[in-house]
Amino acid sequence: MTQNAKLVLEGKETDLAVTVGTEGEVGIDISALRAKTGAITLDPSFANTGACESAITYIDGERGILRYRGYDIADLAEYATFPEVCHLLIYGRLPTPPEREEFRTRLTRHSLVHEDMKKFFEGFPQTAHPMGILSAMIASLSAYYPEDDTHEEIDLNIIRLLAKAKTIAAFSYKKSIGQPFIYPQNDLTYLENFLTMMFAVPSEPYKVDEVVRSALNKLLILHADHEQNCSTTTVRVVGSGGANLFASISAGVSALWGPLHGGANQAVIEMLEVIRKDGSNYQKYVDLTKSKDSDFKLMGFGHRVYKNFDPRALILKQSADQVLSNLGVDDPLLEIAMRLEEVALADPYFVERKLYPNVDFYSGILYRAMGIPTDMFTVMFALGRLPGWIAHWLEQRNAPGARINRPRQIYTGETAREWVPLEDR
Ligand code: SDX
């Protein structure tokens, strides 16, 4: 592989260095382009632009490969626990048995939210979207755990965030249904605590359903990281300015909320409900997608990187059937989703554009089967993505020569013009 690229601009040739990653990806280094040529590159939405070098997650969109720190997503979803994947993404390796036990205990023991923060919930209307609550509450953690540059303090804040985010999420659910908050318990694991805080009621004992726990473990692992997606890039950009962990992650939560990104899992269920109410007329909605007069999109379909299949969607589709039958749930939306996928993938519009189901297409059906309400789906995505955001925030913070992220632009507005006094306008 050539070590240089040549750019010819206005007859002048410029050599540009080339970086090759461990999986053979080739990046043309343009960090000195403007100094050398006076020109910049232009790549709206960054579809062809590498923002950084990263050792956390590898995606091959053509071959449907997703690996966290080299481990294949199918193996992690099958064999790992979500806390193990958090450790892998953040610290770069799977924990040894003692490390696993210690990490798990720390995640449990830091689950409580400061009692004063409970008052914040009183200020939210019952109809507040839990993503708005999650973003606000995570940013507010910086008021209780101020930033400190020591490694120990940053590591403790990482544990606090991982541990408390699930408590905040469960509290936001209880707030939305007017039930009392259920406190985390030190004898429960991460997932047991979350499910108990979500679904237990003070008046009766609650037992975690193993099928639900296992399905949730898989869902959180599948969402744990995805390299430079919209919300992770947001976390890196905010963190590049030196903002603290809580402020940076709060920005990531807000970025994830959009329906084109993490908000898609909620939008998929809402779309499937519309199709169901409309007599499951799949072709009508596939045709609507193709119509230039409509901005209807098949939510849960398409991906910037995956152009053959999203390995996470495959895993979720395979487990959805099993989980729903184990739970004795007969959700017509699963059948509608599968038929819609069949109809869409037989249509040239989708085939030509390489549009396949992404991670959001089936995840909502599993969350529903577990009793999680639709407006909590993106919160579940955020809980899963937390270790990935943290790992990227840390990687950028520790990168040698890291600089504040500040892209350039091509100005297309008015050229210089004279001031016009009010009376002459
Ligand atoms: C996530 O980046 C990540 O890694 C994200 C994520 C992660 O783990 O962090 O994987 C999670 O966000 C998954 C994506 C969830 N979003 C959705 O399901 C929303 C629906 N999908 C689309 O909005 C779209 O596919 C995106 C946003 C996912 C990707 O958008 P791109 O890469 O900008 O693609 P595009 O909009 O340029 O689409 C290319 C063509 C267009 O048609 P033409 O203009 O060429 O005629 O495909 C069409 C689009 O109109 N198209 C769709 C479509 N998605 C793309 N047409 C109908 N339905 C769709 N869903």
Side-chain angles (χ1 to χ4, degrees):
M1 169 63 68
T2 167
Q3 290 317 307
N4 266 339
K6 282 194 185 309
L7 173 75
V8 179
L9 181 63
E10 292 161 357
K12 182 171 170 277
E13 222 179 71
T14 304
D15 278 331
L16 295 171
V18 169
T19 295
V20 182
T22 49
E23 291 285 350
E25 293 166 305
V26 175
I28 300 171
D29 184 338
I30 56 167
S31 48
L33 179 69
R34 192 166 188 275
K36 287 182 176 176
T37 69
I40 62 168
T41 57
L42 185 60
D43 183 21
S45 84
F46 312 129
N48 304 282
T49 296
C52 61
E53 293 178 308
S54 178
I56 299 169
T57 290
Y58 173 66
I59 301 175
D60 180 320
E62 279 65 36
R63 294 190 292 161
I65 292 173
L66 170 58
R67 298 188 198 123
Y68 298 159
R69 301 283 190 183
Y71 293 94
D72 189 83
I73 192 63
D75 289 340
L76 294 169
E78 181 68 25
Y79 305 115
T81 64
F82 177 61
E84 280 179 322
V85 169
C86 291
H87 191 285
L88 171 66
L89 286 168
I90 294 167
Y91 304 110
R93 55 186 172 75
L94 290 168
T96 60
E99 287 170 333
R100 185 177 186 273
E101 196 44 39
E102 195 227 347
F103 188 66
R104 209 185 70 145
T105 304
R106 293 180 79 198
L107 284 191
T108 296
R109 293 192 175 281
H110 286 277
S111 297
L112 268 179
V113 166
H114 194 293
E115 281 295 294
D116 287 353
M117 288 188 77
K118 278 178 47 187
K119 298 188 187 94
F120 296 7
F121 284 92
E122 291 157 24
F124 289 111
Q126 195 167 355
T127 53
H129 195 290
M131 281 297 275
I133 297 175
L134 185 65
S135 180
M137 296 297 277
I138 286 179
S140 306
L141 287 171
S142 56
Y144 294 83
Y145 309 105
E147 179 175 32
D148 184 317
D149 275 346
T150 61
H151 172 78
E152 293 69 24
E153 195 58 33
I154 287 174
D155 193 52
L156 181 51
N157 277 345
I158 286 171
I159 295 293
R160 284 171 173 145
L161 178 55
L162 284 171
K164 297 178 196 304
K166 70 178 182 301
T167 307
I168 292 167
F171 282 7
S172 66
Y173 171 58
K174 287 297 194 188
K175 158 87 189 176
S176 73
I177 57 175
Q179 282 189 5
F181 294 161
I182 300 293
Y183 278 60
Q185 299 162 43
N186 282 348
D187 60 339
L188 297 180
T189 64
Y190 181 96
L191 293 179
E192 290 167 346
N193 250 327
F194 174 69
L195 290 168
T196 304
M197 289 190 284
M198 281 284 288
F199 300 121
V201 287
S203 49
E204 56 194 53
Y206 174 78
K207 186 173 174 349
V208 171
D209 180 320
E210 177 48 28
V211 172
V212 171
R213 191 207 59 74
S214 165
L216 182 57
N217 184 62
K218 185 172 285 190
L219 276 159
L220 294 180
I221 289 171
L222 291 174
H223 286 82
D225 193 50
H226 217 240
E227 53 130 288
Q228 306 305 317
N229 59 84
C230 173
S231 52
T232 300
T233 297
T234 301
V235 168
R236 290 184 80 117
V237 168
V238 173
S240 76
N244 64 65
L245 174 71
F246 302 121
S248 305
I249 302 299
S250 169
V253 173
S254 299
L256 186 73
W257 197 351
L260 296 187
H261 190 15
N265 54 21
Q266 174 172 344
V268 166
I269 293 297
E270 290 162 354
M271 172 188 75
L272 293 175
E273 288 282 19
V274 166
I275 294 174
R276 181 167 69 107
K277 289 189 180 115
D278 193 5
S280 301
N281 183 347
Y282 314 105
Q283 195 55 50
K284 170 182 171 184
Y285 290 89
V286 167
D287 294 343
L288 207 53
T289 269
K290 299 188 290 187
S291 157
K292 288 293 177 207
D293 305 328
S294 141
D295 57 4
F296 179 81
K297 281 181 186 282
L298 277 195
M299 301 313 277
F301 261 76
H303 200 278
R304 175 63 57 79
V305 175
Y306 290 123
K307 297 305 174 190
N308 283 306
F309 62 94
D310 180 336
R312 304 166 298 177
L314 280 191
I315 293 169
L316 287 175
K317 181 179 178 182
Q318 286 155 3
S319 56
D321 235 357
Q322 187 63 48
V323 169
L324 268 66
S325 63
N326 288 354
L327 292 174
V329 170
D330 177 19
D331 186 349
L333 296 192
L334 176 58
E335 175 63 21
I336 290 173
M338 289 182 165
R339 292 295 316 284
L340 184 62
E341 178 185 354
E342 268 170 37
V343 172
L345 297 190
D347 190 299
Y349 174 94
F350 286 81
V351 176
E352 284 155 15
R353 291 169 177 77
K354 297 181 178 294
L355 302 176
Y356 298 87
N358 58 49
V359 68
D360 291 307
F361 191 62
Y362 286 104
S363 56
I365 286 163
L366 279 158
Y367 291 137
R368 262 163 68 95
M370 295 152 66
I372 292 169
T374 305
D375 68 357
M376 282 284 291
F377 289 179
T378 311
V379 168
M380 300 310 295
F381 193 142
L383 290 185
R385 188 51 53 88
L386 212 42
W389 285 333
I390 293 167
H392 283 275
W393 180 84
L394 266 181
E395 183 178 68
Q396 165 165 279
R397 188 187 180 93
N398 299 331
R403 300 169 71 198
I404 189 168
N405 290 189
R406 200 268 184 230
R408 306 297 296 252
Q409 64 166 25
I410 296 295
Y411 177 70
T412 56
E414 296 281 350
T415 51
R417 49 183 172 167
E418 295 300 319
W419 169 252
V420 180
L422 184 57
E423 59 276 13
D424 299 339
R425 288 178 207 164

